[in-house]
Amino acid sequence: QVQLAESGGGLVQPGGSLRLSCAATGTIFRLHTMGWYRQAPGKQRELVARITSGGNTDYADSVKGRFTISRDDAKNMVYLQMNSLKSEDTAVYLCNLQSGFTLRDYWGQGTEVTVSS
C-alpha cells in the first residue's frame, strides 16, 4: 500500500525559509511523478510544484523563483525548499504521488505551514 508522510512544516516569519520533506513507502518511487499541493482555509487545493520521474519540474506562478522541488530516488524522498515566504503561502501542504502505471493519485496527511509575524 502506498503511504506518504510529510514533515517540516511549522511557523515562520515572512521572508523566512522552510524545507518540507515527503517520504514514500510501498511503491517503486522512481517511476512516479511527485508533487506538492497546498490548501488554505476557504480555498480549493492548488498545485504548488511537480517533478516527474525524469526530473522535469513545473511550478505555480505564485511560487516561481522562491520554491524548489527536488527528489532523491535512492531515499524515496521528495522535498520542497521554500524561500522568501509570504503570508499568502500559509496553508496545509500535501505530498502527492501520481502512479506512472495507473495515473491514480495518492495523498499524504499534510503538514501545516504558517507564515506570520
Side-chain angles (χ1 to χ4, degrees):
Q1 300 295 319
V2 177
Q3 300 276 341
L4 304 175
E6 304 97 332
S7 62
L11 175 65
V12 65
Q13 293 184 335
S17 298
L18 284 174
R19 179 182 292 176
L20 306 184
S21 300
C22 175
T25 58
T27 187
I28 307 174
F29 178 83
R30 63 180 175 84
L31 301 179
H32 309 302
T33 293
M34 302 297 299
W36 287 98
Y37 290 70
R38 66 187 181 188
Q39 188 163 21
K43 296 184 177 181
Q44 62 182 323
R45 188 174 299 176
E46 65 172 345
L47 173 68
V48 177
R50 182 165 50 201
I51 184 166
T52 70
S53 61
N56 295 320
T57 61
D58 50 53
Y59 299 89
D61 288 341
S62 60
V63 307
K64 286 181 179 176
R66 300 188 297 121
F67 292 9
T68 302
I69 189 171
S70 61
R71 65 191 296 157
D72 186 338
D73 290 344
K75 297 181 178 180
N76 285 8
M77 298 286 289
V78 63
Y79 307 96
L80 185 68
Q81 178 66 48
M82 305 186 294
N83 298 326
S84 302
L85 283 162
K86 306 174 181 179
S87 60
E88 307 95 273
D89 297 317
T90 296
V92 173
Y93 284 72
L94 301 115
C95 183
N96 167 264
L97 180 153
Q98 185 177 66
S99 172
F101 300 105
T102 68
L103 302 184
R104 177 180 174 179
D105 284 318
Y106 298 87
W107 299 92
Q109 293 297 308
T111 185
E112 188 171 354
V113 172
T114 302
V115 184
S116 177
S117 299

